[in-house]
Structure formats: C-alpha cells, structure tokens
Amino acid sequence: MTRALRYTRWLGIGLWVVMSLACSKEAVTSPAGPAKPGDAEQTERRPQLSTFRVHDETPEAARLPDLKRVVETALKRALWNEDAFARAGDKETGCKAEFTMYYALLRNGEPVKTTRQGEVRMALQGEVHCMRDETVESYRVEVRDKARVDAKTPTNGSVQLKALAVELVRRASQVAYGQVIVRHASDERLLEVLAKDTPEGMVMEASVEAGERKLKRAVPLLLRLTRHPTHVVAMRAAAGLGLIRVRSPEVIQALVAMTKGTDFERHVIAINALGDIGGAAAARYLGILATGHPNEAVRAVAREAKKRSDSR
C-alpha cells in the first residue's frame, strides 16, 4: 500500500537539492509560455510539477532507439493538462518526478528488436517528490503489462510496444497525480472522487485513503466500485472496505462476489478484506474457501484470513 514517505526536515531538504541537481540535466521541464487565463486559479487548486526525468534501464542491446522519446512525449501530455498537474513557474518550484522504464520484445522467449510473432512486456516505475511545509513527501507508482504479437495483430512488435508504453504512461500518471491529490484532500473531496468512475488513478488512491481514514461514509461508494470494469479499481475498493471494517451484509456479499471467476489475484484481495472485517458471516465463507477453493495458494490465504477473522 502506497503512503507518503515523510522525512525529517534536514533530510527532506537535502533530497530536494539532489532532485533539483538531477533534474537539471536531461530533464523535461514544464512547458514554457505566457500564462493563460485561469492559470493562477488552477495552480491554486492543483499541485505543480516543474520537471520530470526518464531513465531507460533496459539492456542496451535490446533497446528501441526512439521509445524513450515516445515515453517522454506521452508523459508531457499526461502530466501537464487540465486534469493533472499545473505548470510550475520555474524548475526550482513545484514537484519533481523521475520515471524508470524496462521493456522487452520477445520471440520464443528471447529478446529481439522487432517481431511479428511473440510478446511485448513493459514496466514503468515512477517517483514524485513534493515539498510541503519544508518536508519532502515522496510518492511511488509502478505499472506493468504485456501484449501478444501474432498473425492477428495488424502491427509489428515495436509498434505494439510503443502503444503499450503510451497506455502505461497514462495509468502511471493518473495514479501518481491521484496519490498527490488525495493524501491531503478533505473527507468531502474523497467522497466526490469516489462518486465517479474516472480518472481511475484518483479513484484507486481515494479508495485506499478512505480505508486508511476509516471513512464509513465511503462504504456505499466503495461497494459500487467493487463492480468497476477495471479490475485494479475494484480491488482497491475491496481493500478500502477491509480497512474500514463495516460488517454489513452488503459488504460481505460484495466481497464474496469478488471471489467468483478465475481472477485469483482478485480473490486474494477480497479474502484478505473479509479476514480484516471478521464476524460470523465472513468466517463462515472463509472456512468454505479454505478447503474448497481450486487453488492451493488461495486456500492458504483463506486459512490465514479465517484466523484473523476468528480473532476479531
């Protein structure tokens, strides 16, 4: 679970200096240009981002020469827009970000530069550092995905990888912005975010933050989100319910429903939430899963969750 990492004042300011120096070379700065009408108001409401930097940690022999540029361009669009960070006035102010990318085009399990038969994989890790009250708060995000490349794919592997990179940038940017926004949002603002389905990154982070705050007013909204079409959003909503620990029949039924189907990761999140909530109804169903689930690893999780449930 991602939480803001708080540093002491001297360490925080030291990190800020290091980040400023790191971002001064090969960094992408916020778009220059005259202020637009409403910029001051937007900056007041939204956190500012001054610079970001992208590192390609893929082995050099497997790198695509223009993929880093594709990621940088996509990040510019995703991070600086009316639904994300505001432009900082200069690179000494505002948040600073660093992203690290790893990727591969695989054919028969071996890395290649291009292919029309195989698989593309990519992971994007990001850190955003923001100064608040003379303390640096750091937020971390990691997204990863893969895609098949075969005769049914209208493009080759390198084109598929670029498309995957743009999609991962979209997800990572939403999550990073969502973390920064919701950490200090009011309860009312959290409820506003949870009442919508998008942006998904903000909804995900608001779900967990509501859970951390034990915000019982969020329970009806989280119940709705357990049916969200994006499975990560649904799982975050389930985690939020587990943290709030309301033992209503509606909550138990929603989490039980998430243990159906073949997505075992989803099952594990719901099972752990049931274990955190506890109570007779949760314990009874966990007992069934502990012996009857088709996956041994999930059965083990259910057994541990039942122990927690029994102790509550």
Side-chain angles (χ1 to χ4, degrees), residues 8-23:
T8 58
R9 178 179 175 183
W10 65 266
L11 180 58
I13 292 175
L15 175 59
W16 194 254
V17 171
V18 170
M19 281 295 299
S20 297
L21 292 173
C23 288

Side-chain angles (χ1 to χ4, degrees), residues 270-290:
I271 287 169
N272 277 318
L274 287 167
D276 291 338
I277 292 169
R284 185 164 53 252
Y285 189 68
L286 289 171
I288 294 171
L289 290 176

Side-chain angles (χ1 to χ4, degrees), residues 166-198:
V166 171
E167 171 60 19
L168 290 185
V169 163
R170 182 190 69 81
R171 296 184 206 168
S173 299
Q174 280 192 3
V175 172
Y177 180 67
Q179 289 178 9
V180 176
I181 283 290
V182 305
R183 190 62 65 227
H184 300 286
S186 66
D187 290 352
E188 295 302 326
R189 177 59 177 143
L190 284 182
L191 294 173
E192 288 177 10
V193 172
L194 292 173
K196 303 175 182 178
D197 289 331
T198 59

Side-chain angles (χ1 to χ4, degrees), residues 22-33:
C23 288
S24 65
K25 186 178 181 181
E26 296 184 6
V28 180
T29 58
S30 59

Side-chain angles (χ1 to χ4, degrees), residues 247-285:
R247 294 180 180 177
S248 70
E250 293 81 8
V251 170
I252 302 301
Q253 289 166 12
L255 294 173
V256 167
M258 291 185 69
T259 65
K260 311 298 183 183
T262 58
D263 188 342
F264 291 168
E265 182 182 11
R266 187 182 179 102
H267 296 187
V268 167
I269 297 296
I271 287 169
N272 277 318
L274 287 167
D276 291 338
I277 292 169
R284 185 164 53 252
Y285 189 68

Side-chain angles (χ1 to χ4, degrees), residues 12-296:
I13 292 175
L15 175 59
W16 194 254
V17 171
V18 170
M19 281 295 299
S20 297
L21 292 173
C23 288
S24 65
K25 186 178 181 181
E26 296 184 6
V28 180
T29 58
S30 59
K36 299 177 182 178
D39 271 1
E41 181 184 354
Q42 290 182 354
T43 299
E44 192 72 24
R45 293 199 312 265
R46 297 183 287 143
Q48 300 179 59
L49 180 71
S50 59
T51 59
F52 71 81
R53 189 176 184 180
V54 178
H55 306 274
D56 188 348
E57 294 297 329
T58 305
E60 192 166 352
R63 290 182 188 175
L64 294 184
D66 58 344
L67 189 59
K68 182 179 177 182
R69 178 182 56 79
V70 169
V71 169
E72 288 176 341
T73 300
L75 280 168
K76 283 183 185 178
R77 294 171 179 164
L79 291 172
W80 287 306
N81 64 68
E82 61 184 12
D83 295 319
F85 291 93
R87 298 182 302 178
D90 59 72
K91 65 183 181 181
E92 300 304 322
T93 61
C95 301
K96 296 169 175 59
E98 293 209 42
F99 291 89
T100 303
M101 52 194 274
Y102 310 83
Y103 57 88
L105 281 75
L106 302 173
R107 183 173 59 220
N108 298 326
E110 295 296 325
V112 294
K113 285 292 185 73
T114 186
T115 182
R116 285 190 173 277
Q117 187 75 32
E119 186 178 61
V120 294
R121 298 181 182 182
M122 186 170 187
L124 185 65
Q125 298 173 338
E127 292 189 6
V128 179
H129 306 279
C130 301
M131 182 73 82
R132 184 181 177 87
D133 299 329
E134 298 187 323
T135 298
V136 174
E137 294 184 344
S138 295
Y139 305 84
R140 291 183 173 86
V141 59
E142 178 175 350
V143 293
R144 59 180 66 228
D145 211 340
K146 59 186 178 180
R148 292 292 305 168
V149 182
D150 52 35
K152 298 178 182 178
T153 307
T155 56
N156 62 31
S158 59
V159 175
Q160 283 282 93
L161 184 55
K162 290 175 184 177
L164 182 61
V166 171
E167 171 60 19
L168 290 185
V169 163
R170 182 190 69 81
R171 296 184 206 168
S173 299
Q174 280 192 3
V175 172
Y177 180 67
Q179 289 178 9
V180 176
I181 283 290
V182 305
R183 190 62 65 227
H184 300 286
S186 66
D187 290 352
E188 295 302 326
R189 177 59 177 143
L190 284 182
L191 294 173
E192 288 177 10
V193 172
L194 292 173
K196 303 175 182 178
D197 289 331
T198 59
E200 292 176 358
M202 286 187 65
V203 176
M204 288 163 48
E205 296 306 317
S207 297
V208 176
E209 185 66 22
E212 291 285 346
R213 298 184 191 185
K214 304 291 190 291
L215 188 57
K216 293 184 178 180
R217 286 186 294 158
V219 168
L221 300 173
L222 293 172
L223 285 172
R224 182 184 66 86
L225 290 171
T226 60
R227 301 187 296 275
H228 196 282
T230 301
H231 80 284
V232 179
V233 175
M235 289 192 296
R236 291 291 184 94
L241 289 170
L243 290 167
I244 298 172
R245 298 180 182 174
V246 169
R247 294 180 180 177
S248 70
E250 293 81 8
V251 170
I252 302 301
Q253 289 166 12
L255 294 173
V256 167
M258 291 185 69
T259 65
K260 311 298 183 183
T262 58
D263 188 342
F264 291 168
E265 182 182 11
R266 187 182 179 102
H267 296 187
V268 167
I269 297 296
I271 287 169
N272 277 318
L274 287 167
D276 291 338
I277 292 169
R284 185 164 53 252
Y285 189 68
L286 289 171
I288 294 171
L289 290 176
T291 58
H293 195 281
N295 182 274
E296 169 54 33

